[in-house]
């Protein structure tokens, strides 16, 4: 089945030969058994049934099935948030080990690597995923165990050449974690390129409606899957069935939403790139973006994502906040991937945990605004930004 068909037809459940158009939300937190031997059998082989909700639950399991289908295979574990999903990978594959990471990751991921990983006995080094020479050098000479990159970086939407990175890492005996949140499986399926761990913050595009927090990790090998499952049982960041159901509902329209968001983002990027108040625009759909060719190859012509960022010529926080506050349609909110257009101020939101120097080193200045473009009519989005910038 093609991707669009999978979004609609995966993660359903037949009941006695009948297929409900929407799966039930199974809220049970535990399951009672008549025969103790049957309960014991489920403890022994968790895939044979359900015993206790923190370990596994039917509605999240359907979501896991759907996400695996969208990622092109593998097995998926869902978590209470995207950060819980990233923490699960770092705890099982990074703790006590050497981790090589891009410096311009989502701020909370960067902070987890920079602060928590060393506390847990691990070591971290940061190397730009776009600096191939430095990546190759670190892989060959430092011999890390795990490489951490984002398909599209947050917030400057730099494009990681995942095929190349995964191949280099693998030949140096290093596993790769790809945070695919900005691209979603609609644009990119890193597992198919050989990535070992593919993370999505379900809070963003997969759910898409601003009413769920969730995360997922998809892997290809049973050993990693079992380790992640054990981690979830131990630490308890289980996804609630209601959130799983809403995410499944969101997934049904993932392709339609992303199609419109990519198209709207390109139109807005073209408008902003010609505006005198804008100094620099970051969007891989523009020919001028250094990752344009890579994104075209990686995303197979489906689009370039729904997120863009731009630096105001004025370059100050006051100017950026004034533009953001004049917007009438776009919402000022610290998230992305919703059906509504959202603007965020990275220096104080996604990258608040970084020092000024750390932010400057990765190009996050005081005049930077990030936009997650929604599915509204593109004319309304342009008009909104035009009046906010021209005021
Ligand atoms: C790229 C990226 N990864 C992970 C996360 C964390 O996801 P969550 O907020 O669901 O924990 C975010 C949140 O903004 C993100 O932007």
């Amino acid at each position: 089945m093609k991707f669009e068909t999978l979004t609609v037809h995966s993660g359903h459940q037949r009941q006695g030969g009948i297929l409900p158009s929407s799966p039930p939300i199974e809220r049970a937190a535990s399951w009672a058994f008549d025969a103790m031997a049957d309960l014991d059998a489920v403890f022994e082989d968790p895939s044979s049934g359900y015993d206790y909700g923190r370990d596994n639950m039917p509605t999240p399991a359907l979501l896991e099935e759907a996400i695996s289908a969208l990622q092109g295979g593998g097995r998926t574990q869902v978590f209470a948030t995207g950060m819980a999903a990233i923490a699960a990978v770092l705890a099982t594959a990074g703790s006590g080990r050497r981790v090589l990471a891009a410096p311009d990751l989502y701020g909370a991921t960067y902070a987890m690597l920079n602060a928590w990983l060393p506390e847990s006995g691990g070591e971290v080094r940061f190397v730009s995923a776009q600096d191939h020479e430095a990546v190759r050098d670190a892989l060959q000479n430092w011999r890390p165990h795990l490489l951490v990159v984002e398909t599209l970086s947050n917030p400057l939407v730099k494009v990681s050449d995942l095929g190349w990175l995964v191949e280099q890492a693998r030949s140096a005996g290093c596993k790769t974690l790809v945070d695919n949140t900005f691209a979603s499986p609609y644009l990119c399926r890193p597992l198919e390129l050989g990535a070992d761990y593919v993370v999505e913050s379900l809070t963003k595009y997969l759910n898409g409606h601003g009413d769920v927090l969730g995360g997922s990790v998809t892997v290809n090998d049973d050993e990693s899957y079992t380790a992640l499952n054990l981690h979830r049982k131990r630490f308890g960041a289980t996804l609630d069935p209601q959130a799983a159901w809403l995410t499944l509902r969101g997934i049904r329209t993932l392709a339609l939403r992303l199609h419109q968001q990519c198209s709207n983002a390109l139109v807005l990027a073209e408008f902003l790139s010609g505006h005198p108040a804008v100094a620099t625009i970051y969007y891989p759909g523009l020919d001028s973006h250094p990752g344009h060719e890579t994104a075209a190859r990686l995303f197979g012509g489906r689009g370039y994502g729904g997120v863009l960022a731009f630096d105001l010529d004025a370059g100050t926080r006051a100017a950026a906040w004034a533009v953001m506050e004049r917007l009438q349609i776009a919402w000022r909110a610290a998230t992305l991937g919703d059906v509504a257009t959202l603007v965020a101020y990275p220096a104080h939101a996604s990258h608040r945990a970084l020092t000024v120097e750390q932010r400057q080193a990765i190009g996050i200045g005081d005049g930077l605004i990030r936009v997650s473009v929604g599915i509204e009519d593109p004319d309304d989005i342009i008009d909104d930004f035009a009046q906010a910038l021209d005021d």
Side-chain angles (χ1 to χ4, degrees), residues 103-110 150-158 179 181-182 204 307 309 335-336 344 346 349-351 354 362 364 368 370:
D104 42 6
L105 299 168
Y106 171 53
T109 311
Y110 177 88
E150 290 174 356
T151 308
L152 291 169
S153 77
N154 183 356
L156 296 181
V157 281
K158 290 186 194 162
D179 183 338
T181 298
F182 271 44
K204 316 300 180 193
V307 178
T335 189
L336 64 110
S350 57
H351 291 71
L354 275 63
I362 56 171
I364 298 176
L368 186 74
R370 187 188 79 189

Side-chain angles (χ1 to χ4, degrees), residues 12-327:
H12 284 282
Q13 190 181 41
R14 283 190 170 272
Q15 292 179 328
I18 297 168
L19 181 71
S21 56
S22 169
I25 306 172
E26 295 199 37
R27 293 233 52 110
S30 67
W31 286 261
F33 287 71
D34 290 337
M36 285 305 293
D38 291 345
L39 174 58
D40 198 56
V42 178
F43 280 140
E44 191 58 32
D45 175 13
S47 67
S48 67
Y50 297 98
D51 48 63
Y52 185 60
R54 178 158 43 75
D55 303 350
N56 283 306
M57 283 185 278
T59 312
L62 284 179
L63 173 63
E64 289 170 342
E65 220 178 277
I67 294 172
S68 298
L70 300 188
Q71 297 288 7
R75 298 174 77 187
T76 300
Q77 292 271 299
V78 289
F79 293 86
T81 63
M83 287 319 298
I86 292 170
V89 180
L90 292 183
T92 54
S95 176
R97 310 218 175 104
R98 286 189 294 277
V99 178
L100 184 67
D104 42 6
L105 299 168
Y106 171 53
T109 311
Y110 177 88
M112 193 187 280
L113 286 164
N114 203 32
W116 174 81
L117 190 79
E119 283 165 15
S120 81
E123 276 183 82
V124 66
R125 280 192 192 174
F126 294 100
V127 169
S128 165
Q130 286 72 40
D131 185 345
H132 285 189
E133 209 174 307
V135 170
R136 196 187 286 119
D137 182 58
L139 284 169
Q140 285 171 4
N141 296 317
W142 192 53
R143 308 304 284 186
H145 301 95
L146 184 69
L147 171 68
V148 181
V149 294
E150 290 174 356
T151 308
L152 291 169
S153 77
N154 183 356
L156 296 181
V157 281
K158 290 186 194 162
V159 186
S160 297
D161 191 346
L162 293 180
W164 186 89
L165 288 163
V166 166
E167 198 185 303
Q168 295 295 315
R170 179 148 296 184
S171 65
C174 173
K175 290 191 167 188
T176 309
L177 155 58
V178 178
D179 183 338
N180 195 48
T181 298
F182 271 44
S184 91
Y186 172 74
L187 288 178
C188 184
R189 286 170 293 284
L191 212 69
E192 292 177 349
L193 300 168
D196 299 281
Y197 301 92
V198 180
V199 166
E200 307 282 346
S201 165
L202 306 176
T203 318
K204 316 300 180 193
Y205 286 107
L206 273 97
N207 174 59
H209 292 75
D211 48 16
V212 156
L213 288 167
S216 67
V217 186
T218 307
V219 295
N220 247 333
D221 68 296
D222 289 343
E223 203 185 322
S224 303
Y225 177 82
T226 307
L228 288 166
N229 185 242
L230 188 59
H231 172 92
R232 195 176 64 183
K233 282 185 195 180
R234 280 182 179 151
F235 289 83
T238 310
L239 185 70
D240 185 78
Q242 184 91 22
W245 187 90
L246 282 167
T247 309
L248 268 171
R249 156 76 81 97
I251 281 174
R252 306 292 175 228
T253 56
L254 175 66
L256 287 174
R257 285 186 281 110
L258 252 296
H259 177 78
Q260 184 69 21
Q261 282 158 328
C262 291
S263 158
N264 285 357
L266 183 59
V267 173
L268 181 62
E270 279 165 353
F271 166 77
L272 291 172
S273 63
H275 198 285
V278 173
T280 315
I281 163 99
Y282 307 91
Y283 186 63
L286 298 176
D287 291 348
S288 54
H289 189 282
H292 180 67
E293 298 295 322
T294 310
R297 180 163 35 83
L298 208 55
F299 304 157
R302 280 176 170 260
Y304 296 89
V307 178
L308 59 86
F310 61 97
D311 268 317
L312 284 177
D313 200 35
T316 63
R317 186 180 84 169
W321 284 21
V323 168
M324 291 173 75
E325 286 176 358
R326 281 196 292 268
L327 288 164

